[in-house]
Structures are given as C-alpha cells and as structure tokens.
Amino acid sequence: MTIIPFIALVVLLVALWRLELGVGAVILLWPAYLIRTTVVGIPITALELSLYALAAAFVIRSVARRRMTWPQLPRPLMFFIGLWIIAWILATIFSVDHRASLGAFKAWLVDPLLFGWLLLSCIRTERQRTTVISATMLSGAMVAMAGLVQLIWFRDTLEDARLSSFFAPVANYAAMFIGPLLALNIGLLLWKQMSRWWWTAVAIMALALILTVSFGGYLAVGVGTLMLWWRWPGRRTRMVALLAGIVVAGIGLLALSRTPYLAEKFKTTDRSSSLVRTQIWRTSWEMIKERSWFGVGPNAYEPIYRQTIPRLYWSPLEWLVSQPHNLYLALWLETGLLGLISFFVLVMLWTRRLWRRVLARDAVAIACLSAMAAILAHGFVDTPLFKNDLALLLVFVLLLPLLNIDPHPSDTEDVG
C-alpha cells in the first residue's frame, strides 16, 4: 500500500526534527500494524516501517552530531532480557511452523527490543517524557473515539453489539489495548503529572472500555485502579474512593444483569465464553504436557490446537483459535519453559526495583505498576502480549520508570 511509505516518511522527518516527537508518532501508530503490505516478499506493517524510520533518524542524528547514546539498564534485568531472547530463539528453532514463528520473532521480539532501545536512548528529559506520555493518551483516545464512531455509523462491523474500534470485530483486542493505558494515565493524572485537561481523554477511553463489554478489561482496570487506591494519600480519601468504586461496580453489574452478556459468561450448558475458554485451557495444558520444553513456537498455536482438541472434546466449541486466552499458558507454548520463567523473573525484578519508589508515592512508578497489574490480571483470561501493538505497550510500561531522566537538563540539550 502506498500509504505505508508515506507514513514512514512523515515519522522520519518528524524524528529528524525532534526525536521525542518521532517516538510519540510511533506510539500514536501502535494500531497501524493493521495496515500491511509486503516488501520483496517479506510482510511488513505501517507500524514496523515507522519504527525503522525512527531508528534511521536516530542513527542519522547521532552520526551528524558524532554522539551515540547507549542506554543502560540494571545488570540483573539485562541478564534476564538475554534469557528471554534465547528462549525466543530456541522456541523459533523448534517451532512446528517456522514461517509463522519467524514473523512473530520479528514483530513480537525484535521490534519491541528496538522500540525499547530507542525509548531509552531518545527520552532523557522531563519534557520529552511528558511528550511520549501524552502520545499514549492520544493513542488510547484515538482508538476509543474510532470505536464510538463505529457504534454510531458502522454498526455492521460490530460483533454482538460490542465496541471493537480498529480491531473489528474482536472487542477483546480493543479492551486489551485500552485497559493498561487507562490504568497508566489515571495514575499519572491523579498524581498531577499531566494537565487536568487530559481527563477528557481518560473519560473517552473509559466509556469505550465499558462498551467493549469485556469482563477481562473490567478486571484489568479494576486491579490496576486498586493499586492506585492503595497508594493514594489520606485514609479518608481512600475510603470515599472505595465506596464510590463499590457503588459504580454495583450499578454496572445491575445494568449488565439486564443484558444477555453477564448470564452468557456463566452458562454451564450449551455454548458460552466460559465453556469455550475451559476447553481451550484444558487443550492448551495437554499441548504443554506434550511439548513442555520449547512449546509449539511463536505464533504456531492454532495448527497444534486443531490436532489436539478432538482428542478431548467432540465436537469442540471452537475450532479456530490463534491464542490460548491465557497469557501464562501462551508464554509457555509460544516461548517454552525458559521464556515463561524469564518473563516472570523479569517482572519480579522490575517490581522489586520500583517498590521503594512506589512506597514513596513516586507517580511514574505507581502508574506503571498499576498498568502492569492490569496487564497481568487481564492475562488470566486473555493474551495481552502476543500482538504487535500490545508488545510495544508492554515495553513502554516496563521502561517508562527506568528512563534516565536528567533533572537539570541544559537549555541547549538535544538528545541523539
């Protein structure tokens, strides 16, 4: 598609002007992985090409200024990132579908690592950090607004009348994208890190999330905001917020009880989402028992699922399933046992490093921990990682509190 090179060119020019705006442009383009083409037979998306354009701009500026920035991370984190990479390499080598796994290796590992390197290298001041945080708010609000427009004018793209935005017809994709951004940005606004006018974007995202009717999304934001509530100063304020949350949740459950969605989740006969997930989870566990060391390979779940489920259920409620609807089963199957272990240890080390800052009520640390809690909670019922946009979103949440921010930058500082 001719629009893809044009988008990448715009990102290149913007990044050559100001690198943080280039990073922000890539964040705005997270959903642009849906715009796809091929270059010399290799599939590529508008998001990927824009990311490569940002990398090119960073290199050009560094060469021109004869200064290359090499980001630093704590050694324990670097060690387990290395294990994470090795796990992906092994899982890809032993994959049941090398072509699919190589594509996933590029989109779900190489691109997020590149994005993380650029984020650490380009964002060095408070102003630059505020710019990229603003981009996350705009990205979430843009997806939410597209979903609201969809509900009004493009109802033929809906499935079960649920908002799905650019990700039509899958409403859960929209919920997995909006949920962590909502938790992150509510935290930053509560701690007054951003202008109060950004509450408008948060309100739009919250409305869109409600209209996805994604119980996984509700769970994610509920857990994330509980983390924010825990660190919110003032016992009285916390009690008022808790009571308000209980009232809102009660009203929401009452409203949902008058729709078919709530009852459908818990049906034990016929077809329901809970029964479908039960079959998928049990089948996934059977797949793990047969391939416990290296899994089935990145993005290679579906063919082995189709081979396995008839042995357990006939006839299956779902034949075509690309992911096991559980982050932890997916980690084991997509990246092997080493990938599962290295992911957990990485998150634990990251949380430990942030903990003192969280106890000291550091806004960025609390907001990012809230977003991570939302991702991990949603992971019990879906896979908020193995998607091009979600992989970059996870990297952003992990690295935002680790940015090497200069508290006293010079007026002439120009990173890169």
Side-chain angles (χ1 to χ4, degrees), residues 141-370:
M142 180 178 64
V143 168
M145 282 298 298
L148 297 177
V149 169
Q150 174 195 29
L151 281 175
I152 298 171
W153 285 294
F154 299 97
R155 297 190 63 83
D156 58 320
T157 65
L158 300 176
E159 186 176 82
D160 299 328
R162 298 170 62 192
L163 180 149
S164 52
S165 189
F166 299 125
F167 313 106
V170 187
N172 288 345
Y173 286 175
M176 286 189 286
F177 184 82
I178 293 172
L181 291 177
L182 200 52
L184 174 75
N185 290 309
I186 287 174
L188 292 169
L189 283 164
L190 284 175
W191 267 264
K192 296 181 172 59
Q193 296 298 297
M194 304 293 291
S195 166
R196 65 180 182 273
W197 296 109
W198 284 110
W199 279 110
T200 305
V202 165
I204 294 169
M205 284 190 274
L207 177 60
L209 181 70
I210 291 168
L211 295 173
T212 63
V213 198
S214 166
F215 288 81
Y218 301 163
L219 172 67
V221 174
V223 171
T225 52
L226 189 62
M227 177 66 67
L228 297 175
W229 171 83
W230 171 59
R231 295 314 301 156
W232 186 248
R235 182 176 178 182
R236 184 177 178 181
T237 306
R238 286 202 302 273
M239 289 306 299
V240 171
L242 179 61
L243 290 173
I246 291 171
V247 170
V248 170
I251 294 172
L253 284 172
L254 181 63
L256 285 169
S257 68
R258 300 184 178 278
T259 71
Y261 298 115
L262 190 62
E264 188 273 339
K265 295 289 180 184
F266 301 104
K267 282 196 300 186
T268 56
T269 60
D270 198 18
R271 178 188 174 88
S272 70
S273 63
S274 59
L275 284 176
V276 169
R277 276 178 164 78
T278 299
Q279 289 192 3
I280 293 170
W281 292 339
R282 187 183 169 196
T283 304
S284 299
W285 182 246
E286 194 68 24
M287 293 163 61
I288 285 171
K289 289 193 291 184
E290 295 173 0
R291 297 172 174 81
S292 57
W293 286 104
F294 302 111
V296 297
N299 200 30
Y301 177 83
E302 190 168 291
I304 307 303
Y305 168 84
R306 291 203 306 267
Q307 292 175 20
T308 307
I309 196 167
R311 304 203 308 260
L312 303 173
Y313 301 98
W314 189 263
S315 61
L317 293 175
E318 281 285 353
W319 271 107
L320 302 176
V321 179
S322 59
Q323 292 287 344
H325 289 284
N326 180 284
L327 175 61
Y328 312 106
L329 293 173
L331 281 164
W332 200 335
L333 286 165
E334 300 266 347
T335 65
L337 184 58
L338 180 61
L340 177 69
I341 293 171
S342 58
F343 176 84
F344 270 115
V345 176
L346 262 172
V347 172
M348 289 172 59
L349 290 173
W350 177 82
T351 303
R352 181 182 177 185
R353 186 167 186 83
L354 262 61
W355 200 246
R356 285 187 180 179
R357 291 168 58 185
V358 169
L359 294 178
R361 292 192 170 91
D362 178 274
V364 174
I366 294 171
C368 289
L369 197 62
S370 170

